[in-house]
Amino acid sequence: MAERSTAAVDVADNSGDNPLTAKADGTTTDGVAESIDTADTAEQGAGDTGGERKTAEPSIATPELHSGHKLARRYRLEECVTRLDGFSSWRAVDEKLRRAVGVHLLPADHPRARSVLAAARSSALLGDPRFVQVLDAVEENDLVYVVHEWLPDATELTALLALGPLEAHDAYQMVTQVSQAMAAAHREGLAHLRLTPGAILRTSSGQYRIRGLAVNAALRGIASDTPQRTDTEAIGALLYAALTQRWPYDSDAYGLHGLPKGVGLIAPDQVRAGVHRGLSELAMRALANDGATASRQEPACTTPDELVKAISSMPRIRPPEPAFTAPPEYQRTTYQQGTYGRPPAGPRPQVTQTVPVPPPTLQGRTGKVIKWGVSALLIAALGLGSWQLADTLLGHDKGGSGESGTSQQTTKTDGDKPKALVPLQIQGAEEYAPDGNLQDAKDVDKTYDGDASTYWRSKSYNDGPKLAPFKQGVGIVYDLGSEKDVAAASIALRYRGDHTTLTLYAADSLSPGPVGSMQQIATATTKGTAVDLKAKKPVKTRYVLLWITAAPYTSDDEFSRAGYKQAITDVKFTG
């Protein structure tokens, strides 16, 4: 999640840069061993085109600052969210205006310090509200820092795609707004050069904003001989990912799977069924650079302006009609009709009622005989009924030995007895991180090793208990070896508190797609350290995802600071 109020305390990406960041020695600012993110490396091999290049420079030590440090007696550093290539990015507070801001920091003698200052000042002069605004760019006390907006209500495109492809209307809005914004920037001589899913933010109002214009590339020393072409192809890659939830190259990047190796670039509507044909064509036209297969129907788009014109020539894609749900039928009463029990105004309808006419009575001796006969039959029927009722009651008092009591007993057969649940052996497991940000992947096996003292842990988050919108969830996929009927699970947790929400899903592999495409097995919420999840009906599957979407607040420990977090000590499945 980016430009947000919720941020990972261990390591998180809030600067529009790498989803996982670390020092050069492979440790985060908390001293927890983490793998350095390879998003930059993957991007160089999976989509940097149009003459884009990254200059090689000597390693520069990142300034060792700490939470609480104040810049210009105004910007108080709160949390380091990125530490990479000699610069660091922070969530900070502007104490003068009492608002959250983001800050990029690097030494004044850093080889890129001059270019970063120049890029930040140029970006600030643009003043386009479609971009995250640069608020300050200063060199002070051997430091260079850039202050930018912090958008707590915005969601990264990375997080949106982790849930699945965008609807056609949403993808249309994204590519339209981003293309128009970048066309305006290029008209002023500004390029982005790092238009990744992490650089695109969608606000709560549905508007898309771009962060890191010129600055993100300057921080990494990225340049391009053909900047318009580079940004256009990047927009095409964003549209491709929005339509298919796949990265349009043969390498995985930004939490998305790449295309199969050796097949080349194939149109989005050939990757996923139901993709809008016009948007699929548009993505291919934007990706027609440096050997990529262009659309055969239309010429390639090599500048954002050309892309804007291509979009404007398309029929407008309207939002889907809201689903209408008919209200439940109910019996209207006079109170609900607003009459409060009074008859409705106006003339009463004339009701014609047919009154039945009784047959004529029988006269004479014949009539009397029939009357007495009918009376005798009624008396006999009442007597017989009373006798049967008494016999039935006496039979029940004797323990139901009579025929009447026996006929009401139900005999259970062995087939009616519920089958006893049996333990299901776990053969393997892998951590599930659709956004690419792993929690504690090396310790997933500790959740089923039979040792209650070992566990897998999540990172610690500032906001909760619900982890979204920064983090949609954390979890582990378990392999049962073969398809089994999964009926229940027993989960032991390390931390208690208000509250933990867990859900079981049937997955298709150890590396499944988005959660939204999986079948839910069971869900539960607990404030304790143990929970049982039971399915209404057993689900046959080989792979089971244990997905945590809410975690309790817990004090600091040897791994992470205080925050919303959880750890799993033991997992058992039955079926």
Side-chain angles (χ1 to χ4, degrees):
M1 189 67 220
E3 302 293 358
R4 52 191 176 262
S5 60
T6 312
V9 173
D10 285 350
V11 179
D13 175 25
N14 204 337
S15 65
D17 306 323
N18 297 324
L20 293 174
T21 55
K23 296 181 183 178
D25 60 359
T27 61
T28 67
T29 54
D30 292 331
V32 181
E34 300 283 355
S35 59
I36 297 179
D37 179 40
T38 57
D40 281 315
T41 305
E43 184 184 8
Q44 293 294 325
D48 287 349
T49 57
E52 181 180 330
R53 61 185 182 277
K54 187 170 182 178
T55 58
E57 294 167 350
S59 177
I60 302 295
T62 306
E64 290 296 335
L65 300 177
H66 54 83
S67 299
H69 185 91
K70 198 173 294 186
L71 301 172
R73 294 184 294 180
R74 175 177 180 175
Y75 305 113
R76 186 180 75 249
L77 302 182
E78 291 287 310
E79 179 186 10
C80 182
V81 294
T82 302
R83 192 180 294 274
L84 183 71
D85 288 349
F87 72 89
S88 59
S89 299
W90 294 73
R91 176 175 58 83
V93 174
D94 182 349
E95 293 187 335
K96 186 174 182 180
L97 297 180
R98 297 181 180 180
R99 64 177 178 179
V101 294
V103 178
H104 298 306
L105 276 166
L106 65 165
D109 59 352
H110 194 288
R112 304 175 201 152
R114 303 295 100 197
S115 60
V116 169
L117 277 176
R121 289 166 180 170
S122 299
S123 178
L125 291 174
L126 181 62
D128 191 321
R130 292 171 292 191
F131 295 91
V132 174
Q133 298 295 297
V134 171
L135 305 176
D136 210 349
V138 180
E139 179 178 358
E140 179 184 63
N141 298 332
D142 299 325
L143 283 177
V144 167
Y145 58 90
V146 176
V147 183
H148 60 85
E149 282 184 291
W150 189 275
L151 306 180
D153 70 331
T155 306
E156 276 187 11
L157 182 60
T158 307
L160 296 175
L161 293 181
L163 302 177
L166 301 186
E167 295 291 339
H169 174 71
D170 291 334
Y172 173 78
Q173 288 295 321
M174 185 275 294
V175 71
T176 300
Q177 295 179 35
V178 172
S179 298
Q180 291 175 348
M182 288 310 305
H186 278 283
R187 285 193 290 269
E188 299 298 326
L190 290 172
H192 196 291
L193 306 184
R194 267 191 62 81
L195 277 173
T196 67
I200 308 301
L201 308 175
R202 187 173 72 180
T203 66
S204 57
S205 63
Q207 300 300 310
Y208 287 89
R209 299 186 65 180
I210 305 170
R211 63 178 172 188
L213 178 66
V215 175
N216 280 4
L219 284 168
R220 286 166 173 75
I222 297 174
S224 175
D225 297 327
T226 54
Q228 294 203 54
R229 195 170 164 185
T230 298
D231 281 344
T232 304
E233 183 169 1
I235 297 172
L238 293 174
L239 177 58
Y240 195 104
L243 296 173
T244 65
Q245 202 187 18
R246 300 290 291 266
W247 194 237
Y249 304 97
D250 59 4
S251 297
D252 298 347
Y254 314 112
L256 301 172
H257 292 298
L259 298 177
K261 296 184 183 297
V263 302
L265 181 61
I266 54 180
D269 57 359
Q270 296 176 7
V271 175
R272 174 176 165 264
V275 171
H276 189 279
R277 289 293 299 274
L279 293 177
S280 176
E281 180 80 10
L282 186 68
M284 294 299 288
R285 293 177 66 184
L287 284 168
N289 290 317
D290 284 359
T293 303
S295 163
R296 296 181 180 179
Q297 287 76 23
E298 299 290 343
C301 298
T302 58
T303 68
D305 263 324
E306 292 179 359
L307 199 55
V308 170
K309 292 177 182 177
I311 296 171
S312 63
S313 65
M314 292 174 51
R316 183 178 179 183
I317 301 176
R318 299 187 180 277
E321 294 292 333
F324 175 76
T325 304
E329 295 183 1
Y330 60 95
Q331 182 67 36
R332 296 182 64 87
T333 64
T334 54
Y335 180 83
Q336 290 167 332
Q337 295 168 352
T339 60
Y340 295 95
R342 295 190 297 271
R348 289 189 178 186
Q350 297 295 324
V351 179
T352 302
Q353 184 175 2
T354 302
V355 179
V357 179
T361 59
L362 295 173
Q363 302 296 326
R365 175 183 281 182
T366 303
K368 293 180 179 180
V369 171
I370 293 176
K371 290 179 181 178
W372 282 109
V374 170
S375 300
L377 289 174
L378 289 175
I379 293 171
L382 290 173
L384 179 61
S386 300
W387 175 81
Q388 289 180 338
L389 178 61
D391 182 67
T392 301
L393 293 175
L394 290 173
H396 279 295
D397 291 339
K398 295 177 181 178
S401 59
E403 291 184 2
S404 299
T406 305
S407 64
Q408 296 181 13
Q409 293 180 358
T410 301
T411 303
K412 284 192 175 182
T413 64
D414 291 340
D416 296 329
K417 295 180 180 179
K419 295 181 179 179
L421 298 179
V422 297
L424 303 178
Q425 296 299 320
I426 298 174
Q427 305 298 326
E430 287 188 13
E431 186 171 321
Y432 176 70
D435 60 357
N437 295 342
L438 296 173
Q439 306 289 301
D440 188 22
K442 66 181 185 304
D443 288 336
V444 292
D445 59 331
K446 294 180 180 178
T447 62
Y448 59 97
D449 60 358
D451 186 351
S453 65
T454 60
Y455 52 87
W456 167 91
R457 65 178 182 87
S458 74
K459 294 177 182 178
S460 182
Y461 298 92
N462 284 344
D463 287 349
K466 187 177 180 181
L467 301 181
F470 167 69
K471 192 78 171 175
Q472 298 304 316
V474 296
I476 299 173
V477 180
Y478 293 92
D479 181 4
L480 303 180
S482 61
E483 285 196 345
K484 305 287 178 61
D485 287 325
V486 179
S490 176
I491 314 298
L493 306 169
R494 180 173 174 83
Y495 305 118
R496 67 174 67 249
D498 187 15
H499 56 269
T500 303
T501 300
L502 309 96
T503 307
L504 297 181
Y505 291 95
D508 57 7
S509 68
L510 281 175
S511 301
V515 172
S517 65
M518 303 182 198
Q519 179 182 359
Q520 180 175 311
I521 300 174
T523 186
T525 297
T526 181
K527 294 184 179 181
T529 57
V531 62
D532 292 328
L533 295 93
K534 296 181 180 179
K536 293 182 179 179
K537 182 180 180 181
V539 175
K540 184 177 287 296
T541 182
R542 173 177 175 176
Y543 303 98
V544 181
L545 168 63
L546 175 58
W547 190 234
I548 300 176
T549 53
Y553 186 86
T554 306
S555 60
D556 58 348
D557 53 29
E558 66 271 26
F559 290 109
S560 59
R561 304 176 189 174
Y564 293 91
K565 56 187 175 181
Q566 189 53 274
I568 300 173
T569 63
D570 190 50
V571 174
K572 295 178 180 177
F573 296 108
T574 53

